[in-house]
Amino acid sequence: MKLWIEKQRYLIDFTLASLARRKARNIGLLLVYTLLVFMLASVTLYTHALRQEAARVLVASPEVVVQRMVAGRHDLIPPGYMEKIGRIRGVQTRTARLWGYYYDAVTKANYTFMVPAEDAPAKGEIVVGPALERSRGLAANNGISFRSYSGKLHTFIVAAVLPQATELVSADLVLMSEESFRAFFDYPVGHYTDIALTVANPQEVKNVALKLSAALPDARPILRDEVLRTYAAIFDWREGIVLALFSAAILAFGILAWEKASGLSAEEKREIGILKAIGWETGDVIKMKFWEGMLISLTAFLVGFVAAYVHVFHFAASMFEPVLKGWAVLYPHFQLTPHIDGVQVATLFFFTVFPYAAAVLVPIWKAAITDPDSVMRG
Amino acid sequence: MLFQPAIIALLLASTLCVLALVGSAPFAVDVIRRWDIRSGSERQLQLERRTYLFSTLLTLVLVLQLAAVLLFVFNAEKMSGMFVGAMCAVGTLNVNAFGFPALNGKIAVFFLAAMWLAINHVDSRARDYPLVRIKYGLLLALAPLLAGSAWAELQYFLDLKADVITSCCGSLFSEGSPTIAAEASALPPIPAMWLFYGSLGAAVVLAAVHGLGGGRQRWSGYLLALASGVAFVATIAGILAFVSLYIYEHPHHHCPFCILKPEYNYQGYWLYVPLFGATAAGLAAGAVQPFARIASLREVIPEFSRRMAAIAANGFFLTAAIASFMIWQSRLILLE
């Protein structure tokens, strides 16, 4: 065992020296390889962080949201609907919620107007999200007017701006009192937008949803788990599509690696010839070449991965953001939480190192079977 | 659901493996028909050179298979969030009928490839390549298996539907359901412990006998391979029947996959890695025994087989020791 390790150490030593002798050629390959790892790792790290972020945001959302459907469209909850739900075992709280969208022609963006369940602002006052603060240049105690859908102008005083930390969920949010909300949208009295239910036991959520649809056939229960699953599937799918597009790049890289490995210079051929003449076997030459590939692969993988980490978590993945994140006028600025996932590193390894290994296999073998006499004579 | 990164990676890996084996099949046929070590002809020289290429290729396939088994389980674990009713890898693998066959196929290919590599290794150490025909015949036999395992995997991934309600470890490994896994889970702890420690102990003793005999006794080599296979199955059954219970500290949760989860500190890897390594080594020691009488292998095989026996003995011992440690650490009282 010790002998074996010693042998590999000497082989690595030799390989490093031989790599250093042909710097220009190997650095070119290393650069391309690193770039490939960098791109792929950026995509996977970024989507994973987004998935985590979505999951974190949804942790605090209610387990079930009930919407009422009329002719397949979302409709208002009429008075008396809450009572019809009645007491379902397992449901801790039932809250009727008021919220809606408002299109602001000035910023050409949609805002979400909402009445908070507790600590609602006083009548005529609003609390705005950070993105709104930026886009309309607002600060606390400023006044702002919105033209409602009925054509009337409503003026509000900004009581506060929501903290930056909540931006992912509150970027376009405008919080107001129930009275202001109903006046602004001409919302019929006693009607609500939807109902939020909290369920303590996660295994009961499905039963609650079943009972709801039995009691109220026109209700559509939306489960938090389903939303989470959909998010995960969407981000995975986006990541998969981008990776599939990159497969062309992987293929091109494979061809490059093949070319580089098979285009042995005369000097290299002579080197192998001499090694064989002084007693190396074909297997030894293959081992040496294997270590060469291994060193290049691991270096590229490590450097590429670290660069991708910096790119995603310090520069907000500026290169792939538009494809992976989605798009909106008032898009929240948010800081992603660094997170590395074992499966992703393993997947990345499959995408980069194995294609490289497969591509250089035949050229390595061709180099290793070179006859010493034919090379040294030529 | 094909557009999941890990699925694309796994399919890429199996495609590479199948292509490598299909690519080497014509060469294998050529070797079986034309190999003649005494000839100095151009063709023989070419064949000899090509054997280097294909043994390197097969090594790559083996490493890929090993990595793919891990990634397959990893990925099943991770995707469990996407299926209603799935809480760990079992639920994901149960989404359709191909999940478990795909996993078992991968494990089988891994062990067979390990045995092939053992034969390849001793053959390349001998001066006259005495096993070359047998080796490539076996390679031809391995190819359909690998292709079958890749096919099962593809079917599994193609048929992954997120709207299927799957059943997870709670129902699959519960004592009442009519599966082999459930039968194993239903084993009462005391017989299961006898089976677990008995088979591991037998494997360790046989490996020690074989190793201390310098790897020269052929019968102990065969017995070691047999004992390794039995110990592998018995250990999995033991994990189902009682080791998992101690790890979860729950008298009814028999799942061999949840122990790989972060909630349980990835303890499962400590059990599975030595178990798989030791089983592969034990099988390899047995796989080379039929050729121990060949003149040029008389020295090579005992030496190789002794080393494999050492790995197997240590690995099985480690598995038993780690399992015992986990049981000792646990706060569950299964036996009064």
Side-chain angles (χ1 to χ4, degrees), chain A residues 51 206 229 236-237 239-241 243-244 282-283 286 341 343 346-347 350-351 354-355 357-358 361-362 365 369 371, chain B residues 3-6 8-9 12-13 16 49-50 52-53 56-57 60 63-64 67-68 71 74-75 78 81-84 165:
Chain A
R51 232 180 342 242
K206 266 202 106 58
R229 249 200 299 283
D236 277 359
W237 184 82
E239 185 185 359
I241 289 283
L243 287 184
T282 307
I286 291 184
D341 179 42
V343 181
T347 307
F350 266 73
F351 268 113
F354 285 122
L361 196 68
V362 173
W365 165 74
I369 56 163
D371 271 335
Chain B
F3 277 117
Q4 297 281 335
I8 303 177
L12 193 78
L16 263 179
R49 282 176 171 173
R50 285 215 172 162
Y52 281 105
L53 174 61
T56 319
L57 200 69
L60 180 71
V63 174
L64 256 177
L71 186 63
F74 267 168
N75 180 49
K78 201 190 90 174
M82 279 187 225
F83 300 97
V84 182
I165 297 181

Side-chain angles (χ1 to χ4, degrees), chain B residues 86-218:
Chain B
M87 275 157 287
C88 69
V90 177
T92 319
L93 292 175
N94 244 335
V95 170
N96 62 50
F98 290 100
F100 276 103
L103 176 66
N104 294 339
K106 277 189 173 306
I107 294 175
V109 168
F110 168 71
F111 283 133
L112 290 172
M115 285 154 86
W116 191 89
L117 277 174
I119 296 174
N120 180 49
H121 179 78
V122 294
D123 180 53
S124 60
R125 296 278 301 277
R127 281 274 149 239
D128 57 347
Y129 302 111
L131 305 178
V132 114
R133 281 214 171 80
I134 297 168
K135 205 165 80 178
Y136 284 97
L138 289 174
L139 183 62
L140 285 180
L142 193 61
L145 259 166
L146 187 78
S149 135
W151 180 81
E153 186 185 53
L154 180 68
Q155 291 301 314
Y156 170 60
F157 286 139
L158 281 178
D159 215 22
L160 270 187
K161 303 243 162 54
D163 51 354
V164 172
I165 297 181
T166 171
S167 54
C168 201
C169 43
S171 56
L172 190 70
F173 299 115
S174 66
E175 283 96 351
S177 51
T179 57
I180 300 176
E183 298 271 323
S185 321
L187 267 180
I190 295 202
M193 280 180 188
W194 275 109
L195 190 67
F196 181 83
Y197 286 111
S199 64
L200 282 175
V204 171
V205 168
L206 277 167
V209 166
H210 188 65
L212 293 176
R216 292 194 180 275
Q217 300 144 325
R218 289 176 65 196

Side-chain angles (χ1 to χ4, degrees), chain A residues 90-301:
Chain A
V91 175
Q92 282 186 312
T93 55
R94 290 175 298 171
T95 327
R97 303 193 300 184
L98 277 173
W99 57 270
Y101 295 126
Y102 171 75
Y103 177 73
D104 185 7
V106 180
T107 51
K108 296 195 174 59
N110 269 305
Y111 302 153
T112 307
F113 279 27
M114 191 175 177
V115 179
E118 41 202 61
D119 297 335
K123 186 176 181 243
E125 287 188 350
I126 53 173
V127 173
V128 300
L132 211 99
E133 175 198 10
R134 272 196 305 274
S135 64
R136 293 287 301 250
L138 291 175
N141 298 323
N142 286 9
I144 185 170
S145 305
F146 295 120
R147 182 179 294 277
S148 77
Y149 291 123
S150 57
K152 273 185 282 181
L153 211 57
H154 292 254
T155 308
F156 299 101
I157 302 290
V158 177
V161 178
L162 290 165
Q164 198 80 36
T166 63
E167 175 147 6
L168 191 58
V169 276
S170 69
D172 61 349
L173 200 62
V174 177
L175 298 177
M176 53 177 60
S177 69
E178 180 171 349
E179 217 174 316
S180 310
F181 185 87
R182 289 193 188 276
F184 187 80
F185 285 114
D186 277 339
Y187 226 73
V189 181
H191 285 66
Y192 288 92
T193 316
D194 56 19
I195 302 172
L197 306 179
T198 51
V199 181
N201 182 355
Q203 304 200 318
E204 275 295 306
V205 173
K206 266 202 106 58
N207 294 332
V208 170
L210 283 176
K211 281 183 191 166
L212 266 176
S213 10
L216 301 165
D218 61 343
R220 175 171 67 175
I222 301 168
L223 310 185
R224 185 179 68 196
D225 281 355
E226 261 169 22
V227 178
L228 262 175
R229 249 200 299 283
T230 313
Y231 266 119
I234 285 179
F235 284 130
D236 277 359
W237 184 82
R238 277 188 186 166
E239 185 185 359
I241 289 283
V242 173
L243 287 184
L245 289 177
F246 274 146
S247 63
I250 297 175
L251 195 69
F253 169 70
I255 294 170
L256 177 83
W258 173 292
E259 274 294 305
K260 282 266 179 189
S262 53
L264 284 184
S265 63
E267 192 204 342
E268 251 177 301
K269 271 192 189 148
R270 247 193 42 199
E271 198 178 296
I272 292 172
I274 293 170
L275 287 175
K276 290 188 90 175
I278 59 170
W280 283 43
E281 283 175 36
T282 307
D284 295 329
V285 180
I286 291 184
K287 268 189 207 122
M288 176 190 89
K289 286 278 171 191
F290 157 80
W291 279 117
E292 189 181 303
M294 200 68 172
L295 289 170
I296 290 182
S297 285
L298 290 182
T299 313
F301 195 82

